[in-house]
Amino acid sequence: MTNASSTIVFSLSGFNAIVSYRVTLFSLTLLCYCVILSVNMSLILTIILDRNLHEPMYICVCTLCINELYGTSGFYPKFVSDIMSDIHIISYAGCLLQVFVIYSYAATDFSILALMAYDRYVAICRPLEYHSVMSVEKTAVFVYLSWFVPFCCIVMIVSLTSTLKLCGSNIQKLYCENWSIVKLACSTTIANNIVGLISISFYCGHVLFIVYSYVWLVKSALKSTEGRRKFMQTCVPHLLCLLNLITALLFDTMYSRYGSASVPQSLRNFMALQFLMIPPILNPVIYGLILTKIRYRMTALFMAACQSFKLMCKL
């Protein structure tokens, strides 16, 4: 285990703190994943099946839900199987793959939320230009870039991590995380630190762009009753999702780099898991409840499904 090309199996010591209540955690985690799959798939299918929802804002919401499914698929199946296992290990290749999926999921979330902020800015501040600026073709390009750019960034990060010489194999978390692997290195990590800081700065730029957009949105919304109504209906859900994601990721990132070892493992586990549990459930629920078109359409589909079920029961 002296170089990056050796076959390495990492141990995930975060599971040591959950042994006493793993049956309960297994049940709750399985329920949580089922809820994530249900609410996100419901929203995705609702938007895909209803042509009236084939608009830039709803396409972005659909893309956000697809990303939630993608990100959680890199964590939950492995996590659920590990909870009931007595051995908590992951292969070197599997660990890097998990890092890629989880990190690209988080980065793509920021990109999609930035795109949604731009969409709302154009819709409210430049309404006459909306259909030309956010045409179907341009929206498709923006959505493609919101996936492509984060994937390129994370490929670079994971590639650099894969070249490190490692002097340890114990990751003190419930899943693989890039900084936890970098801390095991016995070779220089200057390149990793530089690329990591550039990536963090790049996505902090996304947050600043969103804040800047919302400054103009608020100014524009205050000018008319219609503007305020549109802002409350379409922008508030976006802000709630953004705050939800930033809070969850900030806890995990700050603790990973600067956290104290005296913090109980159970609290560390919770801080590490919240951005993989809370946003994937809350985001589709927030959009499904607050956006009128989606709420009405989902209600109509639910009622239709209930009627079909009743007819089947009578037969």
Side-chain angles (χ1 to χ4, degrees):
M1 197 172 64
T2 58
N3 58 60
S5 63
S6 302
T7 301
I8 300 176
V9 175
F10 292 105
S11 61
L12 302 171
S13 61
F15 284 93
N16 296 338
I18 67 169
V19 174
S20 58
Y21 52 90
R22 62 183 183 178
V23 175
T24 303
L25 184 61
F26 173 83
S27 303
L28 291 175
T29 302
L30 194 59
L31 176 63
C32 182
Y33 191 41
C34 289
V35 170
I36 288 171
L37 292 175
S38 300
V39 294
N40 282 282
M41 283 300 300
S42 297
L43 208 59
I44 290 168
L45 291 174
T46 299
I47 293 170
I48 290 174
L49 295 175
D50 191 343
R51 286 185 170 273
N52 294 323
L53 297 178
H54 293 181
E55 300 173 8
M57 181 177 66
Y58 302 112
I59 291 171
C60 291
V61 172
C62 183
T63 307
L64 187 68
C65 291
I66 292 171
N67 189 51
E68 305 294 358
L69 294 179
Y70 161 72
T72 52
S73 69
F75 167 71
Y76 279 93
K78 169 68 175 167
F79 181 60
V80 169
S81 65
D82 278 345
I83 291 174
M84 299 305 292
S85 174
D86 293 324
I87 302 172
H88 309 116
I89 58 174
I90 186 170
S91 67
Y92 180 74
C95 190
L96 291 180
L97 178 61
Q98 190 174 59
V99 168
F100 175 79
V101 172
I102 292 175
Y103 274 56
S104 58
Y105 148 71
T108 303
D109 249 14
F110 273 111
S111 295
I112 295 170
L113 290 172
L115 173 58
M116 293 171 78
Y118 179 68
D119 172 74
R120 292 299 85 204
Y121 163 76
V122 177
I124 294 176
C125 299
R126 297 159 57 189
L128 298 179
E129 303 173 39
Y130 182 73
H131 292 292
S132 60
V133 174
M134 295 299 294
S135 63
V136 175
E137 294 79 11
K138 289 181 180 178
T139 301
V141 172
F142 289 145
V143 169
Y144 169 76
L145 290 175
S146 71
W147 284 85
F148 180 73
V149 175
F151 272 52
C152 289
C153 290
I154 305 307
V155 163
M156 188 160 43
I157 290 172
V158 174
S159 297
L160 281 172
T161 301
S162 68
T163 65
L164 294 175
K165 294 181 180 179
L166 305 179
C167 295
S169 61
N170 182 39
I171 295 176
Q172 296 180 347
K173 295 192 78 169
L174 297 167
Y175 58 88
C176 287
E177 182 232 6
N178 189 66
W179 187 247
S180 297
I181 301 173
V182 172
K183 287 193 291 187
L184 298 174
C186 46
S187 58
T188 181
T189 60
I190 294 175
N192 300 74
N193 293 332
I194 292 172
V195 171
L197 287 172
I198 291 172
S199 298
I200 290 172
S201 300
F202 179 65
Y203 285 100
C204 284
H206 280 54
V207 177
L208 292 176
F209 171 78
I210 294 170
V211 171
Y212 175 79
S213 299
Y214 270 87
V215 169
W216 284 99
L217 280 167
V218 170
K219 286 182 179 179
S220 179
L222 292 175
K223 293 178 181 178
S224 66
T225 304
E226 176 63 21
R228 285 194 293 272
R229 186 194 65 79
K230 190 180 290 187
F231 179 84
M232 292 300 296
Q233 188 180 73
T234 62
C235 298
V236 171
H238 179 259
L239 276 177
L240 291 174
C241 292
L242 180 65
L243 290 172
N244 182 18
L245 180 65
I246 290 176
T247 303
L249 281 176
L250 188 63
F251 270 116
D252 186 53
T253 303
M254 294 303 290
Y255 180 79
S256 295
R257 289 179 175 262
Y258 311 111
S260 170
S262 61
V263 177
Q265 184 66 54
S266 56
L267 179 58
R268 280 184 270 170
N269 287 343
F270 172 75
M271 291 166 66
L273 288 180
Q274 59 175 333
F275 88 95
L276 287 163
M277 287 189 167
I278 300 174
I281 293 177
L282 280 188
N283 288 354
V285 169
I286 288 171
Y287 280 109
L289 290 176
I290 297 181
L291 293 182
T292 308
K293 278 189 177 182
I294 292 180
R295 185 173 70 249
Y296 285 167
R297 184 56 183 161
M298 290 187 75
T299 303
L301 288 174
F302 178 75
M303 295 302 293
C306 289
Q307 290 294 330
S308 299
F309 181 73
K310 287 180 180 178
L311 290 173
M312 289 175 64
C313 290
K314 288 180 179 179
L315 295 174

